[in-house]
Amino acid sequence: MHSQARSKKAVVVGAGPVGCLAAMMLAKRGWQVFLYEGREDLRQPSTKAAAQQRSINLAISHRGIAAIHAVSPEAAERFMQTVIPMKGRMIHHLDGRLDSQLYDRDGQCINSIDRALLNEGLLDEVSRSPNVRMFFRHKIRFIDFNRKVLTAEDLGHGQEHTVDFDFCVGADGSYSTVRRQMMKVVRMDYQQEYIKHEYVELKMPAGHDTPGRPTFQLDPNHLHIWPRRSYMLIALPNKDNTFTCTLFAPSVELDRLSPPEVFLPWFKSNFPDALKAIGEKNLIHDYTHNPRSPLICTKSNPYHYKDRGILLGDAAHSMVPFYGQGLNCGLEDVRVLKVLLDQEEVESNSPTGPDNLEDERLARALLRYSQERHQDLVAISDFAMNNYVEMRHLVTTPLYLFRKVLDGWLYRLSSHSTLPVTSLTTKLTSQTYDEREPRGWLPLYTMVTFRPDISYDTARRTASRQTQILTTATYVGATILCVSGLWLARTVKTWIR
Amino acid sequence: MHSQARSKKAVVVGAGPVGCLAAMMLAKRGWQVFLYEGREDLRQPSTKAAAQQRSINLAISHRGIAAIHAVSPEAAERFMQTVIPMKGRMIHHLDGRLDSQLYDRDGQCINSIDRALLNEGLLDEVSRSPNVRMFFRHKIRFIDFNRKVLTAEDLGHGQEHTVDFDFCVGADGSYSTVRRQMMKVVRMDYQQEYIKHEYVELKMPAGHDTPGRPTFQLDPNHLHIWPRRSYMLIALPNKDNTFTCTLFAPSVELDRLSPPEVFLPWFKSNFPDALKAIGEKNLIHDYTHNPRSPLICTKSNPYHYKDRGILLGDAAHSMVPFYGQGLNCGLEDVRVLKVLLDQEEVESNSPTGPDNLEDERLARALLRYSQERHQDLVAISDFAMNNYVEMRHLVTTPLYLFRKVLDGWLYRLSSHSTLPVTSLTTKLTSQTYDEREPRGWLPLYTMVTFRPDISYDTARRTASRQTQILTTATYVGATILCVSGLWLARTVKTWIR
């Protein structure tokens, strides 16, 4: 119990997964939490269909799970019941060949989950907390961070009312209102960039080998990829035996492919097996009805304002989806903030001091969050961008495969073994969130995906050091080969004489 | 007369210099123009004092003058009466030494002008146009670009009203509302960055050698610089014999210097001659009363939306002030837009076609603006950032001075001569705005400052080619020197034997 914050009020804007977890975390620390969401409650039957229409599948991995676990171990356990584990990538070559590339030598998996399902689960968890009040269909219009008051509009009744707060969390996504309002009082560096590619979602229905018993049309324990150099298709499994497929392609290419009579033959020649599983009719329906969505990358710095505001998740940093880390990173934001709040409490001598001491502690934790988290967020955002090239092309090149083998081989040699997520979460309840010097050889993908005890920034530095070692080793190896070759040639020449 | 656009309505947001020039340009093309400005009319006696308080001096050069000339030759002529020409930089060394560095071998000058004075002059010019209606103290709250309607709030009466428009120009500065509204309908790449330095304005009063006859305390025909490596002071002359001084320094340094008893000795040891001219009392007054202002750099892309919106000046690109090109570039935006509108009109076969043809022409011109102007804006923004290091430090280094001499020497050798701004403006009334392949050797500063017929991007490419030539020449020279040295040593050795 954190009695000193009992009467203070936090407003969390955005009831997506990150906003829900932040609300839970603050409520557990004794804050009175008001959670605002512009859309309707996802769990209402009337909105379910609409929500699923827009839904995108997510790959949640150790970081996301560890973050939920840090706030509520029970929630993490319940959550794990709803996912489908994927142990590797399944590469679909143009000639029909399939190629399974495992994510981890010890069998660690990433997990496919429907975004709406995850969100509903977390909303249920939030509902269990007596400290949280939820307001759906409420839009935040204006925030005065200095007077600590905001204006919210009840979209149902078209009425505006003011709400005072002590602390405001912006978890309202890429086009965050909280960020825009915070920029009026904070000199914030900010950038947004639309990459020149877009995506369209397509549904692959369940198969029906035996009537009445739906089956998966592809192996459900893989993330399927059809890499085609400048574009790609991916597929993630759902609990109802369907797959959600996503086509990524350059905008100009999609412009060209706009008429169905151009699109269909193009799709057929590039993804023949996928077309067979999706069906021509479904494909054309989805392609003409589903929106072409943009891919935006945003970066901000700093993320906080004094002792009263912070941006988490996509509101602070939205990344392209190619490392499957967007949501994991957003949930981890909440865990990192929690760790820093805990640390400031421990380091402060008087845990139940007067109000201004509390505010100072909060201000210090938020400042540290901006300072310590920034490099992590830049690192994962860059990884995500680079991974697009890897997924849609490199995975099929010999050099990539050779490096992957070498990487895996060195990893196997090293004494390290990946901890299963259950042991990891226990380890992470300790106060730290970054092991600055990971021991042994670790592939980048492993660090990013399966090691939440290693920060993204540490992962970047470690991977860059390992790449240098590999490069040097290659040079030394090549030199030794050359010298021995020359020596051999000379010896042979002497013999011949 | 451009009869085909006679009845169409353009809204220009922001009545700064760029907004005024844009309003004049559109009015001359037959548009009915509504010009909105959030602040009061600068020309009202009550607001003059306040406006001058905030004013910053500007250095306007050939690009700015050419842009005004392209819209209204008379306005450009009237404008030239109010400026003070500066023929070079005057470097103030720490030991009191002065060093004049001319801007141009042919005596071309940049011109110091008070921002408020320039703005007032342009407002007067706008008032002369019967097609323009001005609304001061009106804030734009919301723009619906698809329905072509905006909401403006009359701050005087606290009333909101809607205004329909055909074309909306955002010239409302770094924190542009038009840009923010446009971002809702355009996938705009955008970035803003605060550099880690701030500036404070200080006033250097007029001297009084003879009672009743004010004099300049420094040479008025120079831009004065006190380069001190990580910080610097500059001074620009005003018509009333004062100088406006600006101190640029890292924010952390200004934090440290916050108490006047720390600031005064620091200023005295770094800028002894400036202190003498400003006076201790004035200095402390200005330092404690004037705000510490941030330096922001923003970039956007694209700048337009279909046939109905465009961002000009700081609203599209605000740069740090170290190349003295911010305003020049903003005014040039208007000229470039004018040239493209003219070109689309000429290239179109039917100049008085139906409405939708007009819209198409406008859409094409705006698209070309975004495509052709972007590289220019990136180039000048980067030049401005790089020039900070040059101004506060490099100008005193031997290598810089050597390169400048070499650059000037090659420039003198080349047949080119800088056209005075009066001949240039005549040349520029032709339809082009970029001479893709400038002849002869041209220093970068000359191209940027005195050659509006060369775009910033062409200037960048030309300068980069020239740098390559210089570097290669240096290598070749060094090699020849080495070889001749060796030959000489051998010959001497032979002789001695």
Side-chain angles (χ1 to χ4, degrees):
Chain A
M1 266 285 93
H2 303 262
S3 54
Q4 75 282 10
R6 194 172 291 147
S7 61
K8 291 224 161 188
K9 189 160 104 190
V11 165
V12 176
V13 184
V18 176
C20 286
L21 194 65
M24 282 161 66
M25 187 269 281
L26 292 171
K28 284 215 169 178
R29 302 181 78 80
W31 289 80
Q32 182 196 358
V33 181
F34 279 31
L35 177 59
Y36 285 92
E37 169 58 50
R39 284 166 298 184
E40 292 208 45
D41 190 343
L42 274 178
R43 298 163 300 170
Q44 287 181 2
S46 62
T47 56
K48 263 196 161 171
Q52 274 168 358
Q53 188 68 19
R54 282 182 299 100
S55 91
I56 178 166
N57 273 54
L58 298 166
I60 193 159
S61 54
H62 287 30
R63 279 178 204 271
I65 299 162
I68 300 175
H69 191 275
V71 173
S72 162
E74 314 81 50
E77 247 160 67
R78 274 191 289 271
F79 163 75
M80 288 304 285
Q81 311 301 320
T82 59
V83 303
I84 300 177
M86 300 181 290
K87 62 186 178 199
R89 290 170 179 164
M90 183 72 83
I91 310 293
H92 293 243
H93 295 278
L94 195 54
D95 58 10
R97 229 173 351 112
L98 295 180
D99 203 353
S100 164
Q101 300 179 350
L102 294 190
Y103 284 128
D104 180 67
R105 61 161 190 196
D106 301 321
Q108 298 291 327
C109 292
I110 64 173
N111 307 282
S112 174
I113 187 169
D114 181 84
R115 193 185 206 284
L117 217 63
L118 167 66
N119 208 156
E120 282 169 35
L122 284 170
L123 284 169
D124 282 339
E125 299 291 342
V126 175
S127 306
R128 290 200 178 91
S129 168
N131 287 7
V132 185
R133 286 183 59 188
M134 292 196 261
F135 301 86
F136 291 95
R137 300 204 66 199
H138 276 69
K139 273 246 180 257
I140 304 305
R141 295 293 177 201
F142 178 78
I143 307 177
D144 184 336
F145 277 100
N146 286 316
R147 289 178 48 233
K148 297 191 191 180
V149 63
L150 59 80
T151 310
E153 186 185 340
D154 179 345
L155 298 179
H157 302 90
Q159 285 175 333
E160 287 196 350
H161 53 272
T162 58
V163 183
D164 58 336
F165 64 86
D166 297 293
F167 181 38
C168 173
V169 176
D172 49 346
S174 307
Y175 303 97
S176 170
T177 303
V178 180
R179 181 182 67 223
R180 214 164 46 233
Q181 298 291 322
M182 197 186 276
M183 279 166 115
K184 292 182 183 172
V185 289
V186 175
R187 289 181 188 171
M188 192 187 289
D189 289 349
Y190 171 75
Q191 64 179 83
Q192 66 178 48
E193 185 194 347
Y194 288 90
I195 70 167
K196 308 265 168 280
H197 292 233
E198 290 168 292
Y199 71 88
V200 182
E201 282 197 5
L202 310 165
K203 197 93 177 172
M204 182 184 292
H208 291 275
D209 293 345
T210 325
R213 269 195 61 200
T215 52
F216 283 106
Q217 295 206 66
L218 307 170
D219 177 349
N221 296 119
H222 277 87
L223 190 160
H224 295 263
I225 310 183
W226 290 256
R228 297 294 183 265
R229 201 176 265 262
S230 70
Y231 41 87
M232 72 170 176
L233 182 72
I234 64 169
L236 279 85
N238 296 312
K239 277 278 182 191
D240 62 357
N241 297 61
T242 63
F243 276 87
T244 304
C245 306
T246 315
L247 174 67
F248 297 92
S251 307
V252 285
E253 189 73 2
L254 289 175
D255 287 343
R256 194 181 64 78
L257 297 170
S258 200
E261 62 276 17
V262 180
F263 178 68
L264 189 62
W266 174 85
F267 195 88
K268 195 171 192 168
S269 68
N270 278 290
F271 315 105
D273 54 342
L275 178 63
K276 215 170 143 191
I278 295 172
E280 285 194 12
K281 211 174 133 193
N282 292 330
L283 179 74
I284 293 302
H285 176 273
D286 286 0
Y287 187 68
T288 47
H289 285 77
N290 290 352
R292 274 168 54 175
S293 305
L295 292 160
I296 190 172
C297 170
T298 75
K299 288 178 186 162
S300 327
N301 185 34
Y303 308 99
H304 77 289
Y305 178 58
K306 293 184 180 172
D307 60 352
R308 62 198 66 172
I310 196 156
L311 302 175
L312 301 176
D314 280 354
H317 50 81
S318 62
M319 62 194 79
V320 291
F322 307 111
Y323 222 109
Q325 285 290 311
L327 174 71
N328 287 289
C329 177
L331 295 174
E332 190 177 61
D333 286 351
V334 179
R335 187 172 71 79
V336 171
L337 179 60
K338 179 182 175 295
V339 168
L340 293 175
L341 290 170
D342 286 345
Q343 284 183 359
E344 283 301 330
E345 222 157 75
V346 169
E347 279 164 26
S348 156
N349 292 326
S350 147
T352 50
D355 252 26
N356 59 357
L357 183 67
E358 260 178 64
D359 296 345
E360 273 171 36
R361 269 204 301 260
L362 184 55
R364 255 196 326 265
L366 300 187
L367 176 65
R368 280 187 59 196
Y369 181 90
S370 279
Q371 289 171 343
E372 296 179 22
R373 187 71 173 149
H374 184 57
Q375 286 310 319
D376 289 346
L377 299 176
V378 170
I380 186 58
S381 187
D382 293 347
F383 290 155
M385 200 65 97
N386 297 340
N387 220 40
Y388 191 23
V389 188
E390 178 168 330
M391 284 178 85
R392 67 174 202 249
H393 177 50
L394 293 183
V395 284
T396 60
T397 61
L399 191 67
Y400 170 85
L401 294 170
F402 172 73
R403 234 213 99 177
K404 202 177 149 66
V405 167
L406 201 62
D407 219 22
W409 183 67
L410 287 164
Y411 179 31
R412 250 172 230 114
L413 275 185
S414 92
S415 58
H416 246 290
S417 84
T418 323
L419 290 173
V421 69
T422 41
S423 344
L424 251 180
T425 45
T426 321
K427 186 178 166 200
L428 283 169
T429 47
S430 74
Q431 297 270 316
T432 58
Y433 72 94
D434 186 20
E435 187 178 309
R436 291 279 160 195
E437 288 293 324
R439 281 162 308 146
W441 189 277
L442 288 160
L444 178 62
Y445 191 88
T446 300
M447 288 188 279
V448 167
T449 309
F450 302 120
R451 292 293 302 269
D453 56 326
I454 299 173
S455 78
Y456 292 123
D457 187 40
T458 301
R460 162 143 76 178
R461 280 182 289 107
T462 307
S464 134
R465 204 182 55 225
Q466 290 178 174
T467 305
Q468 271 180 354
I469 293 173
L470 276 189
T471 312
T472 313
T474 312
Y475 278 124
V476 170
T479 312
I480 291 174
L481 261 171
C482 260
V483 170
S484 350
L486 279 174
W487 175 83
L488 198 69
R490 244 174 107 169
T491 315
V492 170
K493 222 165 144 189
T494 320
W495 282 349
I496 292 172
R497 271 184 196 160
Chain B
M1 269 284 97
H2 302 261
S3 55
Q4 75 282 12
R6 193 173 290 148
S7 61
K8 293 223 159 187
K9 189 159 105 189
V11 165
V12 176
V13 184
V18 176
C20 286
L21 194 66
M24 282 161 67
M25 186 268 281
L26 291 171
K28 284 215 170 181
R29 302 181 77 80
W31 288 81
Q32 181 196 358
V33 181
F34 280 31
L35 177 59
Y36 286 92
E37 168 59 48
R39 286 167 298 184
E40 293 207 45
D41 190 343
L42 273 177
R43 297 163 301 171
Q44 286 181 2
S46 61
T47 56
K48 264 196 160 174
Q52 275 169 358
Q53 188 69 19
R54 282 181 300 100
S55 91
I56 179 166
N57 274 55
L58 298 167
I60 193 160
S61 52
H62 287 29
R63 278 179 206 270
I65 298 162
I68 299 175
H69 192 274
V71 175
S72 162
E74 315 81 51
E77 247 160 67
R78 276 191 287 270
F79 162 76
M80 288 305 285
Q81 311 301 318
T82 60
V83 303
I84 301 178
M86 301 181 290
K87 61 186 177 201
R89 290 171 180 163
M90 183 72 83
I91 309 294
H92 292 243
H93 294 278
L94 195 53
D95 57 11
R97 231 173 350 113
L98 293 181
D99 205 352
S100 165
Q101 299 178 349
L102 294 192
Y103 284 127
D104 180 66
R105 61 161 190 196
D106 302 320
Q108 298 292 327
C109 293
I110 64 173
N111 307 283
S112 174
I113 187 167
D114 181 86
R115 193 187 206 284
L117 216 64
L118 166 67
N119 208 155
E120 282 169 35
L122 285 169
L123 284 169
D124 282 339
E125 300 292 340
V126 176
S127 305
R128 290 200 179 92
S129 169
N131 288 7
V132 185
R133 286 182 59 187
M134 293 197 260
F135 301 85
F136 292 95
R137 301 204 64 200
H138 276 69
K139 274 243 180 257
I140 304 305
R141 296 291 177 204
F142 178 79
I143 307 177
D144 184 335
F145 278 100
N146 286 315
R147 288 179 47 235
K148 296 192 192 180
V149 62
L150 58 81
T151 312
E153 186 185 340
D154 178 346
L155 299 179
H157 302 89
Q159 284 174 334
E160 287 195 349
H161 53 271
T162 57
V163 183
D164 59 334
F165 64 86
D166 298 292
F167 181 39
C168 173
V169 176
D172 49 346
S174 308
Y175 303 98
S176 170
T177 303
V178 180
R179 181 182 65 223
R180 214 165 47 233
Q181 297 292 322
M182 197 186 276
M183 279 166 114
K184 293 182 182 171
V185 288
V186 176
R187 290 183 187 170
M188 193 187 289
D189 289 349
Y190 172 75
Q191 65 178 82
Q192 65 178 49
E193 184 193 349
Y194 287 92
I195 70 167
K196 308 265 168 279
H197 292 233
E198 290 168 293
Y199 70 88
V200 183
E201 282 198 5
L202 310 166
K203 196 91 179 173
M204 183 183 290
H208 290 275
D209 295 343
T210 327
R213 272 196 58 199
T215 52
F216 283 106
Q217 295 206 65
L218 307 171
D219 178 349
N221 296 118
H222 276 87
L223 190 159
H224 296 263
I225 310 184
W226 290 256
R228 297 295 182 265
R229 199 174 266 263
S230 70
Y231 40 87
M232 72 169 176
L233 182 72
I234 65 167
L236 279 85
N238 297 312
K239 277 279 183 190
D240 62 357
N241 297 62
T242 62
F243 275 87
T244 304
C245 306
T246 314
L247 175 67
F248 296 92
S251 307
V252 286
E253 189 73 3
L254 289 175
D255 287 343
R256 194 182 66 78
L257 296 171
S258 200
E261 61 276 17
V262 180
F263 179 68
L264 190 61
W266 175 84
F267 195 89
K268 195 172 191 166
S269 67
N270 278 291
F271 315 104
D273 54 341
L275 179 62
K276 215 170 145 192
I278 295 172
E280 286 193 13
K281 211 173 132 194
N282 291 330
L283 178 74
I284 293 301
H285 175 273
D286 285 359
Y287 187 68
T288 48
H289 286 77
N290 290 352
R292 274 167 55 175
S293 304
L295 293 160
I296 190 172
C297 170
T298 74
K299 287 177 187 161
S300 326
N301 186 35
Y303 307 100
H304 78 289
Y305 178 58
K306 293 184 179 171
D307 59 352
R308 61 197 66 171
I310 195 156
L311 302 174
L312 301 176
D314 281 354
H317 51 80
S318 64
M319 60 193 81
V320 291
F322 306 113
Y323 222 109
Q325 284 292 310
L327 174 71
N328 287 289
C329 177
L331 295 173
E332 190 177 62
D333 286 351
V334 179
R335 187 173 70 79
V336 171
L337 180 61
K338 178 181 177 297
V339 167
L340 293 175
L341 290 170
D342 286 345
Q343 283 182 1
E344 284 301 330
E345 222 156 76
V346 169
E347 280 164 26
S348 155
N349 292 326
S350 146
T352 49
D355 252 28
N356 59 355
L357 183 68
E358 261 178 63
D359 297 344
E360 272 172 36
R361 269 204 301 260
L362 184 54
R364 254 196 327 264
L366 300 187
L367 175 66
R368 280 188 59 197
Y369 181 91
S370 280
Q371 289 172 343
E372 296 180 22
R373 187 70 174 151
H374 185 57
Q375 286 310 318
D376 288 346
L377 299 176
V378 170
I380 186 60
S381 188
D382 293 347
F383 290 155
M385 200 66 99
N386 297 340
N387 220 39
Y388 190 23
V389 187
E390 177 167 331
M391 284 178 84
R392 67 175 202 249
H393 177 51
L394 294 184
V395 283
T396 61
T397 59
L399 190 68
Y400 171 84
L401 294 170
F402 172 72
R403 232 214 99 175
K404 202 177 147 68
V405 166
L406 200 61
D407 218 22
W409 183 68
L410 287 164
Y411 180 31
R412 247 171 235 113
L413 276 184
S414 93
S415 59
H416 248 290
S417 83
T418 322
L419 291 173
V421 69
T422 41
S423 342
L424 251 179
T425 45
T426 320
K427 186 177 165 199
L428 283 169
T429 47
S430 74
Q431 297 270 316
T432 59
Y433 71 96
D434 187 19
E435 188 176 310
R436 291 279 159 194
E437 288 292 323
R439 282 162 307 147
W441 189 278
L442 288 161
L444 178 62
Y445 191 89
T446 300
M447 286 187 279
V448 168
T449 310
F450 303 120
R451 292 292 302 268
D453 55 327
I454 298 172
S455 78
Y456 292 123
D457 187 41
T458 301
R460 162 144 77 177
R461 280 182 290 107
T462 307
S464 134
R465 204 183 55 226
Q466 290 178 174
T467 305
Q468 272 182 351
I469 293 172
L470 277 189
T471 312
T472 312
T474 313
Y475 279 124
V476 170
T479 310
I480 291 174
L481 261 171
C482 261
V483 170
S484 351
L486 280 172
W487 175 83
L488 201 69
R490 243 172 108 173
T491 315
V492 170
K493 223 166 144 189
T494 319
W495 282 349
I496 292 169
R497 271 184 196 160

